[in-house]
Amino acid sequence: MIERIFGGSRRRFDSLSEQEILALAISSEEDDGRIYRNYADGLRADFPSSAIVFEKMAEEEDEHRRRLIDLHKAKFGDAVPLIRREHVSGFYHRKPDWLVRPLGLDKVRAQAADMERQAQRFYEHAAQRASDADIRKLLGDLAAAEARHEHRAEELAEQHLGPEAREDEDKAERRQFILTYIQPGLAGLMDGSVSTLAPIFAAAFATQDTWQTFLVGLAASVGAGISMGFTEVASDDGVISGRGSPIKRGFATGIMTTVGGLGHALPYLIPHFWTATITAIVIVVIELFVIAWIQRRYMETPWSRALFQVVLGGALVFAAGMLIGTA
């Protein structure tokens, strides 16, 4: 981290020779081709048509690398200096695709567009520094090629992604989003909103002390969030089920569980008991409506069924908490 901030032993880009600039361009094209093939590999199971697009883009990066190597051999010989992005201060970095799997179409497309823009800026800056006519010409040509790549990606998509393929991949992308974020988050929100009703309102009616009630609600919400998050992570690694990263699902579940419980715990920071309790009840109603809306919007559950499920469950738990608190 300190080396990244202060540069460490990295070279400044302006200090690179023309041979080193060519070597950096060669290694960058190799990395980009490898990244596109990794994208294709990560998308092939769920998005086969898009995988073909990235395979074609990798082939174009290979052609850029070949042209750079040919020029390097003509100008400087066969020995290419080992210089990579991480050796140059201030140079852009690529996030390894294995850190962000499972890959999503929107994420990959945005990353690919960003890669092309960065490569274009690199070649433009490198061409300005080159004094050799052949090197300057090739770098300028590659800058223009990278500028066209975004349009080329669209052309490849049109060629390999027909209307039916696009529709199928969009459905698969939506399904992956629901399985990784919406479903675990909804389960957490329901658990946090409903399961904490009993201890919070039991404490409220038993003590009629808003501060003590808030502490009970805070403890119940945070504890439930941690428990639900770890349970989600441990229950399914996502490999067989295809539900995505267990870490992402765990965070979605744990955070939404905590949020669901805190929603009706925070009103008890209000010192007046009945004001705090009425506010908490109003928030509970809003929470239950939000849960029903999410079920309707993403899980395609009919409004009547969604409202019946959450209202009945919430009412039963609320009644249990109030009865226990007043006993």
Side-chain angles (χ1 to χ4, degrees):
M1 179 62 73
I2 293 176
E3 183 177 321
R4 175 171 293 185
I5 295 173
F6 294 102
S9 59
R10 295 180 184 177
R11 293 277 299 280
R12 293 177 60 251
F13 180 77
D14 291 341
S15 72
L16 299 180
S17 66
E18 290 183 335
Q19 181 184 14
E20 289 170 331
I21 287 175
L22 284 180
L24 177 60
I26 291 168
S27 67
S28 296
E29 292 292 350
E30 288 174 345
D31 288 344
D32 286 354
R34 189 177 298 113
I35 289 172
Y36 284 140
R37 286 193 171 87
N38 286 339
Y39 284 168
D41 180 63
L43 294 171
R44 188 167 289 109
D46 296 320
F47 312 108
S49 298
S50 287
I52 295 175
V53 172
F54 283 102
E55 286 283 4
K56 296 296 183 182
M57 293 180 70
E59 291 174 5
E60 295 198 4
E61 300 300 317
D62 290 343
E63 174 61 20
H64 293 177
R65 175 181 55 82
R66 185 192 63 77
R67 293 171 64 186
L68 288 162
I69 290 176
D70 287 345
L71 182 59
H72 186 280
K73 289 171 67 175
K75 296 292 182 179
F76 306 108
D78 293 336
V80 180
L82 179 59
I83 179 169
R84 306 179 70 85
R85 294 185 179 109
E86 57 268 26
H87 301 154
V88 181
S89 177
F91 209 72
Y92 57 86
H93 293 270
R94 303 283 194 234
K95 179 180 288 188
D97 73 283
W98 55 269
L99 290 178
V100 293
R101 292 204 179 199
L103 302 178
L105 274 181
D106 291 339
K107 181 185 297 182
V108 170
R109 288 168 179 166
Q111 179 67 15
D114 191 46
M115 287 170 61
E116 300 302 335
R117 285 191 293 268
Q118 290 174 344
Q120 177 190 349
R121 288 195 295 268
F122 161 64
Y123 283 123
E124 288 174 344
H125 190 49
Q128 291 172 2
R129 296 195 58 251
S131 58
D132 182 276
D134 292 333
I135 295 177
R136 189 180 186 94
K137 180 181 183 301
L138 177 57
L139 294 176
D141 289 345
L142 292 178
E146 298 293 351
R148 293 192 302 269
H149 258 197
E150 188 170 354
H151 300 293
R152 176 60 175 154
E154 293 175 0
E155 293 173 3
L156 289 170
E158 290 294 332
Q159 179 180 350
H160 296 284
L161 284 174
E164 292 185 2
R166 280 184 179 274
E167 184 178 353
D168 290 342
E169 293 196 351
D170 288 342
K171 288 180 179 178
E173 175 75 355
R174 184 176 186 273
R175 178 179 178 274
Q176 188 64 62
F177 176 73
I178 290 174
L179 289 176
T180 304
Y181 296 103
I182 299 299
Q183 191 181 67
L186 178 61
L189 184 60
M190 292 178 67
D191 184 84
S193 298
V194 176
S195 69
T196 57
L197 286 176
I200 290 176
F201 285 106
F205 284 98
T207 65
Q208 296 200 2
D209 185 323
T210 58
W211 177 246
Q212 295 300 322
T213 301
F214 168 72
L215 293 179
V216 170
L218 178 64
S221 302
V222 173
I226 294 172
S227 174
M228 286 287 288
F230 275 101
T231 299
E232 180 64 35
V233 171
S235 64
D236 180 9
D237 62 6
V239 174
I240 303 299
S241 67
R243 295 179 64 217
S245 166
I247 301 299
K248 293 178 181 178
R249 298 195 330 266
F251 272 110
T253 304
I255 290 172
M256 294 309 295
T257 301
T258 304
V259 168
L262 287 178
H264 42 271
L266 289 174
Y268 283 98
L269 289 172
I270 301 172
H272 188 267
F273 173 75
W274 283 110
T275 301
T277 300
I278 292 172
T279 303
I281 292 173
V282 171
I283 290 177
V284 169
V285 173
I286 295 173
E287 289 173 345
L288 296 179
F289 179 82
V290 169
I291 292 171
W293 180 85
I294 293 174
Q295 287 183 317
R296 175 69 181 87
R297 173 69 175 79
Y298 292 100
M299 315 303 289
E300 299 181 359
T301 305
W303 267 115
S304 56
R305 195 167 110 201
L307 287 171
F308 176 77
Q309 288 174 341
V310 297
V311 170
L312 177 62
L316 289 175
V317 177
F318 173 78
M322 188 174 65
L323 290 172
I324 293 172
T326 56

